[in-house]
Amino acid sequence: MTSDDRRRQILSLLSSQGIVHVATLSQTFGVSTVTIRTDLSELEYGGKLKRIHGGAVSVKELVVPSLPKRMRRNTRAKDAIGHAAAGLVTDGETILVGSGSTTLAFVNALNPKTNLSIITDEPGIINYVTQRLPNVTPICTGGILGCGYHYYGPLLAASLANVHVDKAFLGADGFERHLGFLAERKVTAEAKKEFMKHSDRTVILMDATKVGASRFFVPFAMPGEIDLIIMDSDPHGIVATSVRAAGGRTHVIEVCT
């Protein structure tokens, strides 16, 4: 098989799966991982895909999909992250929860808790709590409801003016070593920054696929600005290395899936 044939098949797999992994492609085509990385680099140079840590995603995947679609991805990892984070919450507490599929998995894990109040900018979380968590009080921020499926803007900030809680739980659309935690849109990054202003501790909930996800996203926090990062795994210790370089109070927890 020529390199051109192999690359066409890689693109075909990417089209059907949305993501491909170097190790799997190496086994599928019977070539070295170095050869596969070269293929992916050439395809990225041609604008056919976007490299991520350990593989690649299609160009269309640079746009974060809808919440229901995201909830069907990496469910095992997100559930493990959510259950670990739920252990930080006590009965009767009020918490801030940002938008995202991993934060929704976290909210689901709060089911055994009682007398909680959740302040969120995510209508999906509001609906979930209303329908499934009778012991939790949902509180929605103000703001404009945009294409990112969450509220944002000056009204969001105004609605939080008199709010201060112990913990904020936020998701991330990506992480880059020198850029920190990333959101797909500027308004999403600004909403996350606003949540951080109103809490004593910020906890990031992020699965391993977000590491190196996109340099085109918008930074909202550097590792040293976060108190705790909960992941299913930290590929090659990239996040932990960044945390150590930043110094400060940040800790990384990897949970078993």
Side-chain angles (χ1 to χ4, degrees), residues 111-235:
N111 187 42
K113 307 290 183 179
T114 59
N115 197 30
L116 291 181
S117 294
I118 293 177
I119 305 171
T120 182
D121 59 347
E122 169 70 78
I125 290 177
I126 292 290
N127 291 336
Y128 186 90
V129 171
T130 301
Q131 295 171 13
R132 302 194 184 188
L133 301 182
N135 295 323
V136 176
T137 300
I139 303 171
C140 192
T141 69
I144 300 167
L145 182 59
C147 58
Y149 306 104
H150 66 83
Y151 293 103
Y152 68 90
L155 288 177
L156 181 145
S159 68
L160 294 175
N162 297 317
V163 171
H164 195 87
V165 300
D166 182 51
K167 306 178 194 77
F169 296 85
L170 304 177
D173 296 324
F175 179 86
E176 289 284 350
R177 189 187 303 271
H178 301 297
L179 298 176
F181 297 95
L182 311 171
E184 185 196 16
R185 298 176 176 86
K186 182 178 179 182
V187 293
T188 306
E190 290 173 347
K192 293 178 187 297
K193 289 179 180 179
E194 192 64 38
F195 272 33
M196 291 173 65
K197 293 178 185 177
H198 295 273
S199 64
D200 291 328
R201 301 171 62 199
T202 300
V203 182
I204 295 289
L205 310 180
M206 181 179 72
D207 69 76
T209 65
K210 304 300 175 59
V211 178
S214 180
R215 297 177 186 276
F216 302 106
F217 290 171
V218 182
F220 68 86
M222 294 300 291
E225 299 174 303
I226 303 301
D227 295 278
L228 184 63
I229 303 157
I230 304 178
M231 308 178 66
D232 53 327
S233 63
D234 180 6

Side-chain angles (χ1 to χ4, degrees), residues 246-257:
R249 63 188 187 275
T250 310
H251 297 280
V252 179
I253 294 177
E254 297 180 73
V255 297
C256 296
T257 60

Side-chain angles (χ1 to χ4, degrees), residues 40-52:
L40 297 182
S41 294
E42 288 297 321
L43 290 168
E44 182 179 48
Y45 182 77
K48 303 295 186 181
L49 53 76
K50 173 69 173 93
R51 291 290 308 276
I52 61 171

